Amino acid sequence: TAQDFSQCGTCAVVGNSGRLKGSKYGKKIDSHHFVLRMNTAQTAGFEEDVGTRTTHHFMYPESAVNLHAGVHLVLVPFKPLDLKWLASAFSSGEIKRTYQRVKPFIEADKSKVLILNPAFLKYIHDKWMKRFGRYPSTGFASLLFAIHTCKQVSAFGFGADSRGNWHHYWEKNRYAGAFRRTGVHNATFELALIEKLAVEGRISFYK
Ligand code: C5P
């Protein structure tokens, strides 16, 4: 099945960086066997730069969006409550907030749900990030997952803007530098690792 990553030959991991704007990477991204997107990523209106296909959508409760039929929802469980939320979002809808309001219900293919092993997240934080940042970003976790499961991995949409803002390709979020200040994620360290993986030939990094 498409769910089986042992079948994954080529994989595009698409981060949400504003660097994608004007890139015209859409066709290239869509040409991969698997296309991984994440959080509030959208394609409508941005097809030329980001493509149209999604096979797997990585998210956590605070970044959840409804998915089209056939797309795998991959939960990135940053905290135990995230697992409870997933169960709730497909049934009673009782969990309406975590540290902020979250979607009580999610529209997605129930039979295609995957949950990233929390131990895998810890492994990334310990061994790859040397515990820089409080935990890895969704994009970095998705990329590392792809590296461990697919033969050929291409990374798109990673990297801050020239002023260090964590910008998105679909909006002008000028105050997006918060992660740098709060230290939740270490964007600089993550990008350095991605560059290193590219130099070592373990991934193709499309800038
Ligand atoms: O902002 P968000 O977390 O939804 O973006 C998804 C992922 O894309 C991030 O976790 C990060 O790995 C990557 N990203 C990036 N540079 C940006 C925006 C996002 O590397 N400017």
Side-chain angles (χ1 to χ4, degrees), residues 15-18 38-39 137-140 157-160 165-168 190:
N16 290 335
S17 170
M38 59 207 68
N39 299 341
S137 74
T138 314
F140 195 69
F158 286 89
N165 292 317
W166 188 283
H167 60 335
H168 293 141
E190 287 187 2

Side-chain angles (χ1 to χ4, degrees), residues 19-20 22-32 46-51 155-157 205-207:
R19 289 190 189 186
L20 277 170
S23 68
K24 301 230 163 69
Y25 280 146
K27 284 214 175 74
K28 181 112 219 154
I29 288 170
D30 281 345
S31 74
H32 290 76
F46 306 93
E47 294 88 347
E48 207 181 352
D49 292 333
V50 308
F156 299 85
F205 183 22
Y206 292 87
K207 296 191 209 182

Side-chain angles (χ1 to χ4, degrees), residues 90-138:
F90 276 113
S91 57
S92 65
E94 66 197 312
I95 298 182
K96 296 177 177 63
R97 40 181 318 127
T98 55
Y99 56 82
Q100 64 179 54
R101 284 180 62 174
V102 293
K103 282 172 85 62
F105 293 102
I106 184 108
E107 287 163 32
D109 205 325
K110 211 175 183 172
S111 67
K112 291 198 176 326
V113 172
L114 298 166
I115 300 173
L116 204 67
N117 193 325
F120 184 75
L121 277 179
K122 179 165 165 46
Y123 153 75
I124 297 170
H125 193 221
D126 290 351
K127 305 289 180 204
W128 286 77
M129 306 205 45
K130 311 284 188 227
R131 300 184 149 259
F132 278 102
R134 267 176 40 219
Y135 44 86
S137 74
T138 314

Side-chain angles (χ1 to χ4, degrees), residues 1-199:
T1 69
Q3 188 161 347
D4 186 355
F5 269 90
S6 68
Q7 303 290 308
C8 178
T10 62
C11 178
V13 184
V14 189
N16 290 335
S17 170
R19 289 190 189 186
L20 277 170
K21 222 186 286 172
S23 68
K24 301 230 163 69
Y25 280 146
K27 284 214 175 74
K28 181 112 219 154
I29 288 170
D30 281 345
S31 74
H32 290 76
H33 186 181
F34 281 179
V35 179
L36 277 45
R37 298 187 199 268
M38 59 207 68
N39 299 341
T40 53
Q42 42 204 288
T43 55
F46 306 93
E47 294 88 347
E48 207 181 352
D49 292 333
V50 308
T52 59
R53 295 180 50 235
T54 305
T55 58
H56 297 76
H57 198 119
F58 288 64
M59 65 175 75
Y60 51 97
E62 297 80 11
S63 77
V65 290
N66 294 330
L67 302 181
H68 294 295
V71 179
H72 291 277
L73 187 167
V74 186
L75 179 76
V76 184
F78 287 117
K79 53 192 182 305
L81 183 58
D82 296 356
L83 295 160
K84 283 196 178 161
W85 168 81
L86 186 67
S88 161
F90 276 113
S91 57
S92 65
E94 66 197 312
I95 298 182
K96 296 177 177 63
R97 40 181 318 127
T98 55
Y99 56 82
Q100 64 179 54
R101 284 180 62 174
V102 293
K103 282 172 85 62
F105 293 102
I106 184 108
E107 287 163 32
D109 205 325
K110 211 175 183 172
S111 67
K112 291 198 176 326
V113 172
L114 298 166
I115 300 173
L116 204 67
N117 193 325
F120 184 75
L121 277 179
K122 179 165 165 46
Y123 153 75
I124 297 170
H125 193 221
D126 290 351
K127 305 289 180 204
W128 286 77
M129 306 205 45
K130 311 284 188 227
R131 300 184 149 259
F132 278 102
R134 267 176 40 219
Y135 44 86
S137 74
T138 314
F140 195 69
S142 313
L143 183 68
L144 266 284
F145 177 76
I147 286 171
H148 284 78
T149 39
C150 301
K151 285 196 197 79
Q152 262 182 282
V153 175
S154 308
F156 299 85
F158 286 89
D161 73 8
S162 56
R163 284 173 302 174
N165 292 317
W166 188 283
H167 60 335
H168 293 141
Y169 60 80
W170 64 83
E171 64 181 355
K172 272 212 169 78
N173 50 340
R174 288 196 295 130
Y175 306 107
F179 282 123
R180 269 204 169 66
R181 290 193 298 278
T182 58
V184 174
H185 302 312
N186 191 315
T188 311
F189 192 79
E190 287 187 2
L191 194 68
L193 276 177
I194 295 170
E195 301 264 15
K196 188 161 174 276
L197 286 165
V199 168

